[in-house]
Amino acid sequence: MRESGTFGWSNPIVRRSVVGLVLLALGSALVGFIWLPSAQADFSAQGLWASICRAAGVPTNWNNDSAAKARPTATNVVLDRSMTREGSNDAVGRGATLALNCTMCHGAQGASKSDAPNLAGQYPEVVIKQLKDYQSGKRGSPIMEALAKRLSEKDINDLAAYYAYLPKARTAPTTYDESLPALVRVGAPLRNIAPCVSCHGGIDQKLGAPWIEGMPKEYLVQQLKAFRSGERRNDSQAQMRSIAIPMTDAEIEEVAVFYARKSSTGGEN
Protein backbone atom coordinates (compact mmCIF):
# COMPACT_ATOMS: atom_id res chain seq x y z
CA MET A 1 0.00 0.00 0.00
CA ARG A 2 2.88 2.28 0.83
CA GLU A 3 4.48 1.69 -2.57
CA SER A 4 1.14 2.29 -4.26
CA GLY A 5 0.83 5.62 -2.53
CA THR A 6 4.38 6.62 -3.42
CA PHE A 7 4.13 5.85 -7.13
CA GLY A 8 0.37 6.08 -7.60
CA TRP A 9 -1.68 8.77 -9.29
CA SER A 10 -2.46 10.33 -5.92
CA ASN A 11 1.18 11.42 -5.66
CA PRO A 12 1.40 15.03 -7.03
CA ILE A 13 4.97 14.43 -8.25
CA VAL A 14 3.83 11.46 -10.35
CA ARG A 15 0.90 13.45 -11.78
CA ARG A 16 3.16 16.38 -12.73
CA SER A 17 5.70 14.04 -14.31
CA VAL A 18 3.07 12.26 -16.42
CA VAL A 19 1.40 15.51 -17.50
CA GLY A 20 4.80 17.04 -18.32
CA LEU A 21 5.76 13.99 -20.41
CA VAL A 22 2.48 14.14 -22.34
CA LEU A 23 2.88 17.87 -23.00
CA LEU A 24 6.47 17.33 -24.14
CA ALA A 25 5.38 14.59 -26.55
CA LEU A 26 2.59 16.76 -27.96
CA GLY A 27 4.93 19.74 -28.32
CA SER A 28 7.54 17.63 -30.10
CA ALA A 29 4.89 16.27 -32.47
CA LEU A 30 3.65 19.77 -33.29
CA VAL A 31 7.19 21.00 -33.96
CA GLY A 32 8.30 17.96 -35.99
CA PHE A 33 5.15 17.32 -38.01
CA ILE A 34 3.59 20.78 -38.40
CA TRP A 35 5.84 23.74 -37.64
CA LEU A 36 9.11 22.53 -39.21
CA PRO A 37 7.50 21.17 -42.43
CA SER A 38 5.37 24.30 -42.87
CA ALA A 39 8.49 26.47 -42.53
CA GLN A 40 9.87 24.91 -45.74
CA ALA A 41 9.00 26.59 -49.02
CA ASP A 42 8.03 23.36 -50.81
CA PHE A 43 5.74 22.07 -48.04
CA SER A 44 2.18 21.07 -48.89
CA ALA A 45 -0.12 19.37 -46.38
CA GLN A 46 -0.85 15.81 -47.52
CA GLY A 47 -2.10 14.25 -44.33
CA LEU A 48 -0.60 12.94 -41.09
CA TRP A 49 1.16 9.94 -42.69
CA ALA A 50 2.92 12.17 -45.26
CA SER A 51 4.01 14.52 -42.47
CA ILE A 52 5.38 11.63 -40.40
CA CYS A 53 7.32 10.27 -43.38
CA ARG A 54 8.63 13.72 -44.25
CA ALA A 55 9.86 14.26 -40.67
CA ALA A 56 11.51 10.81 -40.69
CA GLY A 57 13.10 11.45 -44.09
CA VAL A 58 11.52 8.44 -45.85
CA PRO A 59 9.18 8.22 -48.87
CA THR A 60 5.45 7.92 -48.25
CA ASN A 61 5.21 5.11 -50.80
CA TRP A 62 8.08 2.76 -51.55
CA ASN A 63 6.41 1.32 -54.65
CA ASN A 64 5.17 4.42 -56.43
CA ASP A 65 6.00 3.08 -59.91
CA SER A 66 3.12 4.88 -61.63
CA ALA A 67 4.30 8.26 -60.34
CA ALA A 68 7.85 7.54 -61.52
CA LYS A 69 6.58 6.65 -64.99
CA ALA A 70 4.49 9.81 -65.13
CA ARG A 71 7.50 12.07 -64.57
CA PRO A 72 9.01 13.31 -67.84
CA THR A 73 12.50 12.10 -68.67
CA ALA A 74 14.98 14.84 -67.84
CA THR A 75 17.44 13.93 -70.59
CA ASN A 76 17.93 11.22 -73.21
CA VAL A 77 21.71 11.50 -73.05
CA VAL A 78 23.63 8.71 -71.35
CA LEU A 79 26.99 10.04 -70.19
CA ASP A 80 29.99 7.90 -70.96
CA ARG A 81 33.68 8.30 -70.18
CA SER A 82 34.44 8.06 -73.90
CA MET A 83 32.88 11.53 -74.27
CA THR A 84 35.74 12.99 -72.21
CA ARG A 85 38.48 11.98 -74.63
CA GLU A 86 40.58 14.69 -76.22
CA GLY A 87 39.58 15.35 -79.83
CA SER A 88 41.98 14.95 -82.73
CA ASN A 89 43.53 17.94 -84.48
CA ASP A 90 41.15 17.41 -87.41
CA ALA A 91 38.15 17.41 -85.04
CA VAL A 92 39.36 20.61 -83.37
CA GLY A 93 39.83 22.27 -86.78
CA ARG A 94 36.37 21.29 -87.99
CA GLY A 95 34.90 22.40 -84.67
CA ALA A 96 36.59 25.80 -85.00
CA THR A 97 34.91 26.29 -88.37
CA LEU A 98 31.50 25.27 -87.02
CA ALA A 99 31.98 27.56 -84.00
CA LEU A 100 32.01 30.61 -86.28
CA ASN A 101 28.20 30.41 -86.03
CA CYS A 102 28.48 30.65 -82.24
CA THR A 103 30.73 33.70 -81.89
CA MET A 104 27.97 36.30 -81.66
CA CYS A 105 26.84 34.93 -78.29
CA HIS A 106 29.75 32.83 -77.02
CA GLY A 107 32.68 34.97 -78.14
CA ALA A 108 35.35 34.52 -80.82
CA GLN A 109 37.46 32.35 -78.50
CA GLY A 110 34.62 30.88 -76.46
CA ALA A 111 34.69 33.66 -73.83
CA SER A 112 31.41 35.53 -73.87
CA LYS A 113 31.15 39.29 -73.41
CA SER A 114 27.39 38.98 -72.94
CA ASP A 115 25.39 36.85 -70.53
CA ALA A 116 25.83 33.71 -72.64
CA PRO A 117 27.95 30.96 -71.07
CA ASN A 118 31.69 30.78 -71.65
CA LEU A 119 32.53 27.65 -73.61
CA ALA A 120 36.32 27.98 -73.69
CA GLY A 121 37.84 24.97 -71.93
CA GLN A 122 34.45 23.43 -71.20
CA TYR A 123 34.47 19.68 -70.63
CA PRO A 124 33.60 17.94 -73.93
CA GLU A 125 30.87 15.74 -72.44
CA VAL A 126 29.13 18.86 -71.15
CA VAL A 127 28.98 20.45 -74.61
CA ILE A 128 27.83 17.15 -76.14
CA LYS A 129 25.08 16.64 -73.55
CA GLN A 130 23.72 20.17 -73.69
CA LEU A 131 23.63 20.28 -77.50
CA LYS A 132 21.81 16.94 -77.59
CA ASP A 133 19.36 18.18 -74.96
CA TYR A 134 18.69 21.23 -77.12
CA GLN A 135 18.16 18.92 -80.12
CA SER A 136 15.60 16.82 -78.26
CA GLY A 137 13.93 19.82 -76.61
CA LYS A 138 14.87 18.67 -73.12
CA ARG A 139 16.55 22.03 -72.63
CA GLY A 140 14.65 25.00 -73.95
CA SER A 141 15.98 27.95 -75.96
CA PRO A 142 14.50 29.01 -79.30
CA ILE A 143 17.91 30.01 -80.69
CA MET A 144 19.87 27.02 -79.40
CA GLU A 145 17.18 24.51 -80.33
CA ALA A 146 17.12 25.80 -83.91
CA LEU A 147 20.92 25.73 -84.19
CA ALA A 148 21.34 22.33 -82.54
CA LYS A 149 18.77 20.61 -84.75
CA ARG A 150 20.96 21.31 -87.77
CA LEU A 151 23.98 19.58 -86.24
CA SER A 152 25.00 16.01 -86.93
CA GLU A 153 26.54 13.71 -84.32
CA LYS A 154 29.96 14.44 -85.80
CA ASP A 155 29.33 18.20 -85.74
CA ILE A 156 28.49 18.04 -82.04
CA ASN A 157 31.60 16.01 -81.23
CA ASP A 158 33.80 18.38 -83.25
CA LEU A 159 32.38 21.43 -81.50
CA ALA A 160 32.97 19.77 -78.15
CA ALA A 161 36.57 18.98 -79.14
CA TYR A 162 37.21 22.59 -80.21
CA TYR A 163 35.83 24.24 -77.09
CA ALA A 164 37.61 21.75 -74.81
CA TYR A 165 40.86 22.63 -76.64
CA LEU A 166 40.60 26.35 -75.81
CA PRO A 167 42.08 27.67 -72.52
CA LYS A 168 39.58 27.97 -69.70
CA ALA A 169 38.17 31.41 -68.88
CA ARG A 170 39.55 31.77 -65.35
CA THR A 171 42.62 32.93 -63.44
CA ALA A 172 43.12 29.79 -61.38
CA PRO A 173 41.07 26.80 -60.22
CA THR A 174 39.25 27.01 -56.92
CA THR A 175 41.23 25.57 -54.01
CA TYR A 176 40.69 25.21 -50.28
CA ASP A 177 43.48 27.72 -49.75
CA GLU A 178 41.15 30.62 -50.52
CA SER A 179 38.11 32.04 -48.80
CA LEU A 180 35.08 30.19 -50.15
CA PRO A 181 31.37 30.84 -49.58
CA ALA A 182 29.84 28.22 -47.31
CA LEU A 183 27.73 26.64 -50.07
CA VAL A 184 30.76 26.39 -52.36
CA ARG A 185 33.00 24.80 -49.72
CA VAL A 186 30.76 22.56 -47.60
CA GLY A 187 27.22 23.02 -48.92
CA ALA A 188 24.31 22.79 -46.48
CA PRO A 189 23.87 19.12 -45.48
CA LEU A 190 20.72 19.73 -43.43
CA ARG A 191 19.05 21.13 -46.57
CA ASN A 192 20.48 18.47 -48.89
CA ILE A 193 22.72 21.00 -50.68
CA ALA A 194 26.01 19.46 -51.81
CA PRO A 195 29.11 21.71 -51.96
CA CYS A 196 29.65 23.20 -55.41
CA VAL A 197 33.32 22.19 -55.42
CA SER A 198 32.39 18.50 -55.19
CA CYS A 199 31.09 18.52 -58.78
CA HIS A 200 32.06 21.63 -60.72
CA GLY A 201 35.82 21.41 -61.22
CA GLY A 202 38.69 23.18 -59.54
CA ILE A 203 38.79 20.63 -56.71
CA ASP A 204 36.70 17.79 -58.10
CA GLN A 205 34.53 17.21 -61.15
CA LYS A 206 31.55 14.95 -61.64
CA LEU A 207 31.04 13.52 -65.10
CA GLY A 208 28.73 15.88 -66.99
CA ALA A 209 29.00 18.75 -64.48
CA PRO A 210 30.16 21.92 -66.27
CA TRP A 211 33.19 24.05 -65.50
CA ILE A 212 31.58 27.23 -64.16
CA GLU A 213 34.54 29.31 -63.00
CA GLY A 214 34.60 32.58 -64.92
CA MET A 215 31.00 32.23 -66.12
CA PRO A 216 28.99 35.45 -66.43
CA LYS A 217 27.25 36.16 -63.13
CA GLU A 218 23.84 36.82 -64.66
CA TYR A 219 23.98 33.52 -66.53
CA LEU A 220 24.70 31.60 -63.31
CA VAL A 221 21.89 33.41 -61.46
CA GLN A 222 19.48 32.76 -64.32
CA GLN A 223 20.26 29.04 -64.49
CA LEU A 224 20.09 28.46 -60.72
CA LYS A 225 16.72 30.20 -60.58
CA ALA A 226 15.54 28.19 -63.59
CA PHE A 227 16.49 24.95 -61.81
CA ARG A 228 14.81 26.20 -58.62
CA SER A 229 11.54 27.00 -60.37
CA GLY A 230 11.59 23.84 -62.50
CA GLU A 231 11.77 25.86 -65.72
CA ARG A 232 15.01 24.02 -66.54
CA ARG A 233 14.66 20.27 -66.12
CA ASN A 234 17.43 18.58 -68.12
CA ASP A 235 19.43 17.59 -65.03
CA SER A 236 19.52 13.81 -64.70
CA GLN A 237 17.78 12.55 -61.54
CA ALA A 238 16.87 16.18 -60.72
CA GLN A 239 20.30 16.70 -59.16
CA MET A 240 20.51 20.45 -59.71
CA ARG A 241 16.83 21.02 -59.00
CA SER A 242 17.19 19.29 -55.63
CA ILE A 243 20.10 21.58 -54.77
CA ALA A 244 18.61 24.82 -56.11
CA ILE A 245 15.11 24.50 -54.60
CA PRO A 246 16.23 25.20 -51.00
CA MET A 247 18.61 28.00 -52.02
CA THR A 248 17.64 31.58 -51.23
CA ASP A 249 18.09 34.50 -53.63
CA ALA A 250 20.97 35.74 -51.46
CA GLU A 251 22.73 32.36 -51.65
CA ILE A 252 22.28 32.18 -55.42
CA GLU A 253 23.74 35.67 -55.71
CA GLU A 254 26.70 34.81 -53.47
CA VAL A 255 27.60 31.65 -55.40
CA ALA A 256 27.22 33.41 -58.76
CA VAL A 257 29.39 36.34 -57.69
CA PHE A 258 32.09 33.97 -56.43
CA TYR A 259 32.35 31.97 -59.65
CA ALA A 260 31.94 34.97 -61.95
CA ARG A 261 34.90 36.76 -60.32
CA LYS A 262 37.19 34.02 -61.63
CA SER A 263 37.33 35.60 -65.06
CA SER A 264 40.18 35.44 -67.54
CA THR A 265 43.22 37.67 -67.15
CA GLY A 266 42.15 39.40 -70.32
CA GLY A 267 39.24 40.91 -68.45
CA GLU A 268 36.48 38.96 -70.18
CA ASN A 269 33.60 37.64 -68.13
Side-chain angles (χ1 to χ4, degrees):
M1 292 296 292
R2 184 177 180 181
E3 288 186 0
S4 177
T6 301
F7 300 103
W9 185 251
S10 60
N11 189 325
I13 296 177
V14 172
R15 289 201 302 273
R16 285 197 294 268
S17 299
V18 172
V19 171
L21 183 62
V22 170
L23 291 175
L24 179 62
L26 289 174
S28 299
L30 288 172
V31 170
F33 300 139
I34 298 178
W35 182 73
L36 284 179
S38 65
Q40 300 180 37
D42 62 340
F43 172 74
S44 59
Q46 297 176 343
L48 179 61
W49 176 245
S51 297
I52 293 172
C53 291
R54 183 186 181 94
V58 298
T60 57
N61 190 336
W62 293 92
N63 298 306
N64 195 11
D65 293 335
S66 59
K69 291 177 182 177
R71 288 194 296 267
T73 303
T75 178
N76 298 325
V77 180
V78 177
L79 293 169
D80 187 89
R81 284 290 173 187
S82 63
M83 296 179 180
T84 67
R85 294 172 187 163
E86 184 177 339
S88 65
N89 291 337
D90 288 344
V92 171
R94 287 191 297 270
T97 301
L98 289 167
L100 292 174
N101 294 321
C102 312
T103 57
M104 182 175 293
C105 295
H106 297 287
Q109 294 294 318
S112 173
K113 292 185 178 180
S114 63
D115 289 334
N118 292 325
L119 297 180
Q122 187 57 266
Y123 302 113
E125 79 274 12
V126 172
V127 177
I128 291 171
K129 178 187 181 300
Q130 298 306 318
L131 285 174
K132 288 187 174 182
D133 282 346
Y134 281 127
Q135 276 189 332
S136 65
K138 296 298 182 182
R139 183 174 179 183
S141 166
I143 295 175
M144 285 304 304
E145 287 180 65
L147 291 172
K149 285 178 180 177
R150 298 203 297 261
L151 298 174
S152 66
E153 182 92 10
K154 183 176 178 57
D155 291 340
I156 290 176
N157 291 335
D158 290 346
L159 279 167
Y162 168 67
Y163 282 120
Y165 167 81
L166 296 174
K168 289 180 170 62
R170 46 74 169 166
T171 54
T174 299
T175 68
Y176 280 128
D177 295 332
E178 60 185 304
S179 177
L180 305 178
L183 288 189
V184 174
R185 184 183 182 93
V186 296
L190 294 180
R191 290 185 290 152
N192 199 33
I193 301 178
C196 305
V197 296
S198 66
C199 294
H200 288 286
I203 292 175
D204 198 4
Q205 193 254 339
K206 181 178 179 180
L207 183 67
W211 178 273
I212 59 175
E213 296 181 8
M215 285 287 183
K217 176 201 157 203
E218 289 306 318
Y219 173 76
L220 294 174
V221 170
Q222 181 187 57
Q223 296 308 306
L224 282 170
K225 288 185 175 180
F227 278 125
R228 187 175 66 179
S229 68
E231 178 185 351
R232 180 173 172 183
R233 307 175 60 86
N234 72 316
D235 53 328
S236 181
Q237 304 300 317
Q239 294 166 345
M240 277 305 304
R241 279 172 282 169
S242 298
I243 288 173
I245 285 172
M247 290 179 70
T248 65
D249 286 346
E251 288 171 334
I252 287 176
E253 182 80 7
E254 182 182 34
V255 169
V257 167
F258 170 77
Y259 279 108
R261 72 174 178 80
K262 296 181 148 302
S263 59
S264 66
T265 54
E268 296 177 312
N269 284 331

